[in-house]
Amino acid sequence: MPGRFLESYQSFPLASGDSLVTHAVIVVHGAERNANDYFTSMNEAATLAGRSSSTIIIAPQFQTSDDAPAADEPVWTSSGWRSGDLSSSTGPLPRISSYAAIDTILVRLGIRTKFPRLARIVLVGHSAGGQLLHRYAATSRVATTLTDIPIRYIAANPSTWLYLGPERAAGSGFAIPTSAATCVDYDDWHYGLHSRNTYANALPVSLVRQNLVTRDVIVMLGTADTLTADLDVSCGADLQGPRRYQRGLTLLNYMNALTPGNSHRLVTIPGVGHSKSAMFTSVDGRRAIFP
């Protein structure tokens, strides 16, 4: 990013590459913006999987003004980075979407002279990072250019999901909610496809839907993630269900009901709550991240 610098933690140098790397994991932090902790947890998972010597782990840091950023580091609002919004005009220019920053990482991973043996890229986000990943899976344009490198998107325990239409759970099915008149923004970005931001609006709705239906998306849920700490409880979020675990199951039911044949898959981590480390290092978590 010329004139702009996105801080990140890397297990191998992204700029120079490495001929031994066969697997790349981009792990996105949660609301606390503690990319260093996420980097540590993912390194532990890679070690347990026996893949640390062949995997580049990259943990980008999406900063807000509270993080004392340097002059050349873009900053976002606390909700804007997870939604793909443009960085603040008070930071370096031109402004950049947080999703475009991830695009830049993917482009660099795709340079074959730097990573000649790279065979797979997995993007993982937990909590707020999971929110980012589900929306990014629907809107990334760069993914279509890396035709020889499969890409997987793992959204773990996010507070909310992207819905591709106005229907929400109603009885045993899905319908436009009766509260739509009072919960007027329930289907706006980033809950739905109306009023999309600059990055998401660059694609037609039809292609956003196609991306989310066809891309390799894993919904990773801790079965004990049923508490309310840091849970989005806006009316738009509450229409997706009462807690993170239930919201994830409902999203899968929605995708299967309205877009049969979609590529979303469920991975549950029994007995785990809202813990990135327990999710990433679990046996099933490692199988998803390091297939």
Side-chain angles (χ1 to χ4, degrees):
M1 295 185 296
R4 295 159 296 178
F5 176 78
L6 182 70
E7 181 180 359
S8 66
Y9 299 85
Q10 304 169 16
S11 60
F12 288 88
L14 180 61
S16 58
D18 194 287
S19 61
L20 298 180
V21 166
T22 61
H23 195 75
V25 176
I26 302 170
V27 58
V28 183
H29 57 71
E32 294 182 0
R33 304 184 302 282
N34 50 338
N36 56 330
D37 291 339
Y38 275 71
F39 180 73
T40 298
S41 293
M42 192 55 70
N43 268 289
E44 182 182 356
T47 299
L48 290 171
R51 303 284 285 278
S52 58
S53 63
S54 60
T55 300
I56 178 172
I57 297 170
I58 304 166
Q61 177 78 44
F62 295 105
Q63 298 187 91
T64 72
S65 57
D66 294 334
D67 300 320
D72 61 350
E73 294 174 342
V75 296
W76 291 266
T77 65
S78 58
S79 61
W81 63 266
R82 70 191 73 177
S83 301
D85 290 351
L86 295 175
S87 57
S88 171
S89 58
T90 61
L93 299 176
R95 300 166 68 190
I96 184 172
S97 163
S98 53
Y99 293 5
I102 296 178
D103 284 342
T104 300
I105 296 173
L106 290 181
V107 168
R108 293 179 180 177
L109 287 171
I111 299 174
R112 281 306 188 187
T113 55
K114 294 184 176 181
F115 295 99
R117 298 179 60 197
L118 186 64
R120 182 181 295 273
I121 298 172
V122 176
L123 297 101
V124 188
H126 181 262
S127 195
Q131 293 183 51
L132 180 151
L133 255 298
H134 197 236
R135 280 76 174 184
Y136 182 72
T139 54
S140 171
R141 280 92 72 187
V142 167
T144 60
T145 68
L146 302 177
T147 54
D148 62 335
I149 306 176
I151 299 176
R152 170 172 291 176
Y153 308 82
I154 302 177
N157 294 335
S159 191
T160 63
W161 301 86
L162 176 63
Y163 275 68
L164 297 180
E167 303 84 2
R168 298 294 185 271
S172 60
F174 294 88
I176 295 177
T178 57
S179 60
T182 55
C183 187
V184 294
D185 63 351
Y186 86 96
D187 201 34
D188 288 351
W189 186 263
H190 68 160
Y191 303 128
L193 296 179
H194 290 155
S195 302
R196 301 188 306 285
N197 61 19
T198 300
Y199 185 94
N201 200 45
L203 293 181
V205 169
S206 59
L207 189 51
V208 173
R209 290 192 176 112
Q210 177 182 318
N211 286 343
L212 197 60
V213 168
T214 59
R215 287 177 173 167
D216 180 8
V217 175
I218 289 182
V219 174
M220 188 182 291
L221 305 175
T223 62
D225 197 349
T226 56
L227 302 180
T228 59
D230 298 319
L231 182 70
D232 186 345
V233 292
S234 67
C235 65
D238 283 344
L239 283 172
Q240 297 191 14
R243 301 290 188 270
R244 291 182 179 89
Y245 178 60
Q246 292 88 344
R247 288 176 183 181
L249 296 179
T250 300
L251 181 278
L252 281 165
N253 290 336
Y254 168 87
M255 294 294 293
N256 291 334
L258 277 73
T259 57
N262 70 82
S263 295
H264 279 49
R265 293 188 294 116
L266 172 65
V267 172
T268 56
I269 312 300
V272 171
H274 203 63
S275 167
K276 66 180 183 305
S277 180
M279 295 291 286
F280 298 162
T281 62
S282 67
V283 172
D284 289 330
R286 298 197 312 265
R287 286 173 179 164
I289 299 168
F290 304 98

